[in-house]
Amino acid sequence: MKISFTKAPTFTKAIIAAAVFTIVYLASTSNLPSCSDTAAVLSSGGECIERQSFLHTASGWLALICLVAAVLLLALKYKDSILGRQAPGPQAPGPRTPGPRTHQGPWAQAPAQAPAQAPAQAPVPGRASGFCAKCGTRIIAGDRFCQGCGDPSGSL
């Protein structure tokens, strides 16, 4: 089994990086008080820390940056649903010309064929009918969806 990694930034990579930097941040912390707090220094037996290590400070900032990057990547991925817009639906496949396959093996698939159109149903006598604005299939009154394309714009 071959595992390959992409160079593209992803939400998962950002969360993993944030977790690693958070662990380093927590592991590099010191329990000693700051040297500027005289009362704390005297109560700790005279030991103090002048300033936190660069590793502690840098890993804390990197953890925050990675967390913000993860949130931004997630927001960009789902920006259409966040803004209330519908994502573009699947495009109808056009005519395909057979060409050489780039991968040969048991996982290689033949080009997908366009799904066959469902035959238009004949209207029932005594019921009014209209036509679908999307595909032109006859819609019988009372149907909620077009029988040809599934569009919910059928008459109610």
Side-chain angles (χ1 to χ4, degrees):
M1 179 173 157
K2 181 180 175 186
I3 298 175
S4 64
F5 295 99
T6 63
K7 292 182 180 180
T10 62
F11 172 76
T12 306
K13 290 177 189 174
I15 289 296
I16 291 171
V20 168
F21 287 126
T22 301
I23 291 169
V24 171
Y25 173 79
L26 294 173
S28 65
T29 191
S30 173
N31 292 332
L32 295 175
S34 172
C35 290
S36 62
D37 187 2
T38 308
V41 170
L42 293 176
S43 67
S44 69
E47 294 182 1
C48 66
I49 187 166
E50 186 64 34
R51 59 183 144 165
Q52 290 289 345
S53 70
F54 178 71
L55 175 67
H56 180 77
T57 305
S59 60
W61 280 108
L62 286 172
L64 288 174
I65 289 169
C66 289
L67 188 62
V68 168
V71 169
L72 288 175
L73 286 169
L74 192 65
L76 284 174
K77 183 176 181 180
Y78 294 106
K79 69 180 175 193
D80 289 334
S81 62
I82 291 171
L83 297 174
R85 295 184 292 190
Q86 289 199 359
Q91 299 291 330
R96 293 181 175 237
T97 57
R101 289 174 138 176
T102 56
H103 297 287
Q104 298 295 328
W107 61 87
Q109 297 178 358
Q113 298 294 324
Q117 289 284 340
Q121 293 185 349
V124 176
R127 287 180 41 180
S129 63
F131 294 94
C132 176
K134 187 174 181 182
C135 70
T137 303
R138 184 182 297 262
I139 298 177
I140 300 172
D143 286 351
R144 295 183 181 179
F145 296 95
C146 172
Q147 296 293 324
C149 66
D151 189 39
S153 62
S155 59
L156 295 174

